[in-house]
Every structure is written in structure tokens, then in C-alpha cells.
Amino acid sequence: MTTVGNKKSVGVAMIGNGFAADFHTENYKRVVGLDVRLIGVYGPRSEGREDFARKHGFEKTYSTMDEVLNDPDVDMVDACVPNKFHEDMVVRVLESGKHAVIEKPFTGSFIPGTDEAGWKRCLKEGLESADRMIEAENSSGRKIMYAENLIYAPGVQKARRLLDAADTPILRIVGEESHSGTHSPYAMVWGTSGGGSLYNKGCHSLGAALHLKYEEGKRRLGHRIRPTWVVAVTANLTKTEAFESESEHTIRTGWKDCEDWGMMVVGFEDGSIAQINSADIVLGGIQNLLTVYATQAAIKVNINPNDALLAYAPNNEVFGDEYIREKVETKAGWQFSNPDEDWMNGFPHEMQDFCECAVSNKLPISDSVLGRDVVAVSYSAYLSAAIGRRVEVPVS
């Protein structure tokens, strides 16, 4: 870390040059009060990383991971890679003396279970991986920034402030993230994703619910309120007779060994609950919704869709190449077109927090404890879905 003028400087290196790396980088450019330097990018193919560096204005590209880790100008490494590589990337980055930003979910187990013993193994492996990451964080003196953007969404943070002002306990949270199918082939294969919709979509709403309960606990009790049990079900709806009875589909197919729908009910140590829905079989654009029911308040957060901007077109061609919103299948008819989707999803606020943490001793709002709890709840949920009964969640 250096100082440029009156501003502290943060040097960022990006690992990966795909979808997540693109929107992460765009939102590093929106950080205020700090000089954020886009130092370099490393990706698996030279052409891809060179194109990415030119597009975003990175100072250089790297041909190996070791070049990233040995670069003295880099303070923080953002790893936008498939889930399978999260642990290795984070541990190596921390051991090199740099802060690590890692996308959701935190880590996982990459051989699915086939019976109760197999799903218990998945839970054990996922938690052991998370604990190794946290051990590396603690011994390095650097931080893991867990990139759960939903926590930073302005609607979620406003809900938190309203709950603080009301000084009211949360009784029930209902959350959903769904759309018509992942854009990533890695997310359809357990060996690279560590789970399907329940994990890769459900982690967002689950993360937000955990965050709100953490903050309530700190306010009311002096410590985080943690999850204690979960009940869950999963399904592969794109492989049902009902789905396959039609020959043409807008919903994405091609799932290998991951579910495309899941639901979990999470119990907390104070007796409250969260209901989390997740799916890759929902038409109409991404659904990112969170409702909080407290003793003195009810709060609905419509991240996407919302009615900040409504636009109508009689056919799909009218708006041309102009972006409408994430995962919507057509531009015809009335559309919920968000004026600033990244802002509503919390990405600028997330990167602001991470960069501020890199130059200070404060912990990120979305930290490694949250990442581990998401792993613990999610793999306990897979175990519950397999055995058909409630599972106690192992939290540290």
C-alpha cells in the first residue's frame, strides 16, 4: 500500500477474465476516497487476458500465478475462478502476504454424495476446506474478503438500518434468487461447482439472512446469532417428464450432476427461521427478493425486479443492443429495466468495503465467518435433502 497525493493507494490484481472478473473490475473503478490501481490480470489464455487488460486499463498481464504473488505493487488479489479452485487460490494469496477476494460460495466439496455417508463426507470436506482457508487468514495477518454482494445491496443495508432503528427481533426471513439458467458450464458440473442451484443461487439469500441475524445478535445480545439446524429438498426439474414433454425450451438445460431447484428452511439459535428458495428454472429475468418479518416491522427488499424504470416495446428489436436486465429472455412487452443494476446488487459498495479494509485493520462486512457458515448450512441442507429429515448445523 502506498499514498498518492492525499489518497491511500490499493493495488489490485485479477485472477480470471470472465463474467465475474468483468463486473468486479467495473466496480473497482467506482471506489471513492482511495486510489485503486488496476495492476495486472492473469487468465488461462494469453489472448483473453490481453483483451481484458486493454478493455479495463490494467497496467500489465501475468503469464503465471507466481508472477501475481511476487508482484510488490499488488496489495489485494481478486480470484474469479470456479469454486473448485477457491481454497488453493485463497491460501496461496494469503501466504504471499496479500489480501484475498474470493467469489461466492466460499469453497466446497467436489464429489457429490450418493448416500447418507457420502453427504456427511461432503459436509466434512467442505468445512475442512473452509477451516484451512481461515487458518491461513489468521496466520497471515491478511484478510479474506468474501464477495457476497447481496449483503451490500442498498436495500439489504437499508433493511438492516430500519431493524436497528426499531430495535426489533427478526422472526422470519424469506429469500429467493432464481432465473432461467446459469450462464456458466462450470456451475452445471459438481466437480467444479460443488453444488447446484441450492448452493450457487441459495448462497446469496442465505448470506443476506445470516448477515441480518448476525447484526441483530450484535445489537441485542453482543454476539452473532448463528444457524443451528436446516431442512431441505432439491430436484432436477429440467429432467422431469413434465419438462421433457415439450421439445423447445427457453430455460437452460445441460445439467450434469447438479440440481436445478432447491429450498431450505434454516433455524437460528434464538428460534427464528429463514426460508431460502433457489432455482435455475424461472422465466422472466432474475428474481432477487428478500422479505423480513420482525416483531415490530415488515420489510420487503425488491432488488430485482424493481420498478425504478419501466419500459415498453412492442417487439424484441425495438431497444436494439441496449441492456435491459439480467437473464431476461425477451425485450418485448413491459420491462423492469434497472437504471443501475450493479448499484442495486451491491457491487460498488462491496468493492468499496474491500478496498477500505485493505488499507485499514477493519474486517469486511462480508467476512470468512459468513463464508464458512454458508458452507456449513448448505452442505447440511444437502444431507437433509438426501435423508429426509432435519440436520443440525455444525458451526464453530
Side-chain angles (χ1 to χ4, degrees):
M1 183 190 71
T2 58
T3 301
V4 178
N6 294 324
K7 291 184 177 181
K8 291 182 178 179
S9 175
V10 182
V12 177
M14 184 66 63
I15 308 299
N17 50 262
F19 175 73
D22 195 65
F23 65 73
H24 277 213
T25 304
E26 285 294 340
N27 287 286
Y28 282 121
K29 299 174 187 177
R30 301 175 73 168
V31 171
V32 298
L34 298 168
D35 178 52
V36 179
R37 291 179 60 196
L38 300 177
I39 302 296
V41 58
Y42 169 66
R45 291 176 292 277
S46 60
E47 183 178 352
R49 61 182 178 253
E50 294 289 345
D51 289 346
F52 190 87
R54 281 192 296 270
K55 174 183 176 181
H56 290 291
F58 280 87
E59 298 175 15
K60 68 181 87 170
T61 62
Y62 305 101
S63 58
T64 68
M65 182 69 179
D66 285 342
E67 289 180 27
V68 181
L69 301 179
N70 293 324
D71 190 335
D73 292 329
V74 174
D75 304 298
M76 187 166 73
V77 177
D78 190 329
C80 294
V81 297
N83 302 343
K84 179 179 181 179
F85 305 111
H86 284 191
E87 180 192 340
D88 179 61
M89 289 287 183
V90 165
V91 171
R92 291 182 66 188
V93 168
L94 293 170
E95 288 178 345
S96 76
K98 305 179 191 306
H99 301 290
V101 176
I102 196 67
E103 256 294 340
K104 60 80 198 171
F106 198 58
T107 183
S109 172
F110 300 98
I111 301 174
T114 57
D115 55 17
E116 182 173 352
W119 290 110
K120 286 181 176 178
R121 171 191 51 77
C122 284
L123 174 58
K124 180 174 181 289
E125 289 176 352
L127 289 177
E128 287 175 345
S129 176
D131 288 340
R132 287 191 293 269
M133 293 163 71
I134 292 172
E135 181 181 357
E137 179 183 36
N138 292 338
S139 61
S140 70
R142 295 297 183 263
K143 302 179 187 75
I144 297 175
M145 322 289 190
Y146 175 49
E148 179 42 74
N149 63 281
L150 205 65
I151 287 173
Y152 295 93
V156 172
Q157 286 302 311
K158 180 65 173 180
R160 179 191 58 77
R161 294 194 298 273
L162 289 170
L163 292 163
D164 286 349
D167 196 21
T168 182
I170 297 168
L171 300 178
R172 174 174 166 240
I173 300 172
V174 182
E176 176 165 2
E177 175 152 334
S178 298
H179 54 63
S180 60
T182 177
H183 66 276
S184 171
Y186 298 116
M188 292 184 165
V189 181
W190 198 287
T192 47
S193 70
S197 298
L198 187 70
Y199 199 30
N200 289 287
K201 301 292 180 297
C203 64
H204 287 299
S205 301
L206 175 60
L210 292 174
H211 169 69
L212 292 176
K213 291 301 296 185
Y214 289 172
E215 295 304 307
E216 177 199 336
K218 292 176 195 176
R219 169 172 51 81
R220 292 179 49 236
L221 307 171
H223 61 82
R224 304 185 197 216
I225 297 172
R226 304 286 289 278
T228 56
W229 59 264
V230 63
V231 174
V233 288
T234 63
N236 285 93
L237 298 179
T238 56
K239 295 183 178 180
T240 61
E241 181 182 353
F243 185 84
E244 293 178 342
S245 64
E246 292 185 342
S247 58
E248 296 184 6
H249 298 287
T250 305
I251 293 170
R252 191 179 294 258
T253 58
W255 297 88
K256 303 302 181 185
D257 51 1
C258 299
E259 80 286 350
D260 55 36
W261 174 86
M263 181 183 72
M264 65 176 101
V265 178
V266 183
F268 292 89
E269 58 188 341
D270 66 345
S272 60
I273 63 168
Q275 299 163 245
I276 307 299
N277 297 288
S278 54
D280 283 86
I281 48 82
V282 173
L283 296 174
I286 194 165
Q287 308 290 307
N288 238 332
L289 310 165
L290 195 76
T291 304
V292 182
Y293 298 98
T295 58
Q296 299 292 327
I299 303 169
K300 292 182 180 291
V301 184
N302 296 328
I303 298 167
N304 210 337
N306 64 63
D307 60 0
L309 192 156
L310 297 175
Y312 175 83
N315 62 63
N316 197 46
E317 288 73 41
V318 169
F319 293 133
D321 294 332
E322 181 62 27
Y323 180 78
I324 298 298
R325 70 184 182 96
E326 188 177 355
K327 297 291 196 303
V328 73
E329 296 83 21
T330 179
K331 296 181 180 181
W334 281 105
Q335 296 289 339
F336 296 87
S337 186
N338 198 317
D340 191 339
E341 196 168 69
D342 278 2
W343 181 269
M344 289 299 292
N345 282 324
F347 293 120
H349 318 79
E350 178 182 60
M351 300 313 165
Q352 182 78 38
D353 184 44
F354 291 170
C355 289
E356 289 177 1
C357 289
V359 301
S360 71
N361 289 321
K362 74 170 189 171
L363 291 173
I365 296 171
S366 184
D367 62 4
S368 56
V369 174
L370 176 74
R372 187 190 189 279
D373 278 357
V374 169
V375 172
V377 172
S378 299
Y379 282 100
S380 296
Y382 280 121
L383 175 58
S384 171
I387 65 177
R389 62 179 183 270
R390 191 169 97 167
V391 170
E392 302 304 307
V393 176
V395 293
S396 57

